[in-house]
Amino acid sequence: MTVDPADRTRLFDLASVLLAYPDARLFSAADELRETVEALAHPEVRDRLAEFLDWLLTTESLAVETHYVRTFDLRRRSGLYLTYYLHGDTRKRGIALLTLKQRYRAHGLRLAEGELPDLLPVVLEFAAAAGPGDGEAPLRQHRRGLELLRCALEEAGSPYRHVLDAVVAALPPLTPDDRAAVAALAVDGPPVESVGLAAYGADVDAIGFGPELNSGSCPSLESAP
């Protein structure tokens, strides 16, 4: 069952919100979040997001905030910066960041000061705003990175894995080549070539990433046919 265009827009917009830092505004929007999820027609997407909300809205806010920081800010294997998974700390990543910035600018999307264009909530916001085609292109281009992030969240048992499951359910499935590439990256990690990325919005050192991304396994890939 494919995810229809209306559901895709709602899904990407909602996932953008849910993957941002869980501040007071997020918790105060509990009823609206529930209503948005219940309005989704696709059963898998709806169930995944409902399960995530069950955890988010029944867990003490400080515990959610702590989990978010430990998951996305302190673990290299589950960072939210998509270009890092494919390009690591190389010049190719700088080019990929610049390309994303130019794509956003062409559609009138402006980044916040110091915000990198490959931050997943930003990529999802753009997909929801610009729609199928150009809007969703960055998600498709970084499908392998999304899968690595999903694998890391699954391995860690993080409730945020449900949000990634919902997002990838709306994207084309992995090809055999994709699966092989993701499995290799999970073992070897991304390319390493330290360069300054300040010209693209931030210095890589400030992001907290390094060469130690490899996890050695990816359960969802190992169980796939």
Side-chain angles (χ1 to χ4, degrees), residues 5 12 19 30 48-49 53 56 68 72 102 104 109-110 170 173 178 183 197-198 202 209 214:
F12 294 144
L19 289 170
R48 292 292 188 180
L49 293 178
L53 285 184
L56 178 74
Y68 184 95
F72 297 121
Q102 292 172 338
Y104 295 166
L109 177 65
R110 295 291 185 267
D178 287 332
L197 294 178
F209 283 154
N214 56 302

Side-chain angles (χ1 to χ4, degrees), residues 16-57:
S16 174
V17 172
L18 297 178
L19 289 170
Y21 182 82
D23 58 16
R25 290 180 299 175
L26 179 65
F27 292 105
S28 67
D31 291 341
E32 183 179 353
L33 293 172
R34 291 280 193 193
E35 290 174 4
T36 302
V37 168
E38 290 171 2
L40 294 169
H42 192 281
E44 179 184 355
V45 168
R46 185 178 61 246
D47 291 349
R48 292 292 188 180
L49 293 178
E51 189 165 355
F52 175 76
L53 285 184
D54 286 343
W55 169 79
L56 178 74
L57 301 177

Side-chain angles (χ1 to χ4, degrees), residues 92-199:
K92 288 184 178 180
R93 185 180 180 210
I95 295 171
L97 291 171
L98 182 58
T99 300
L100 275 174
K101 269 192 172 182
Q102 292 172 338
R103 185 187 294 270
Y104 295 166
R105 189 176 296 118
H107 285 267
L109 177 65
R110 295 291 185 267
L111 298 172
E113 183 67 27
E115 189 172 55
L116 285 176
D118 64 337
L119 183 66
L120 181 53
V122 175
V123 177
L124 288 164
E125 179 186 353
F126 177 69
D134 206 35
E136 295 181 16
L139 289 173
R140 296 193 299 270
Q141 290 165 358
H142 293 283
R143 181 69 176 82
R144 295 175 182 180
L146 286 169
E147 191 65 25
L148 280 169
L149 173 56
R150 191 173 75 89
C151 286
L153 295 175
E154 180 182 349
E155 183 186 56
S158 171
Y160 281 95
R161 71 188 185 275
H162 300 305
V163 182
L164 266 292
D165 286 343
V167 169
V168 301
L171 298 175
L174 293 171
T175 67
D177 285 346
D178 287 332
R179 291 187 178 279
V182 171
L185 281 170
V187 173
D188 299 332
V192 178
E193 173 192 88
S194 294
V195 295
L197 294 178

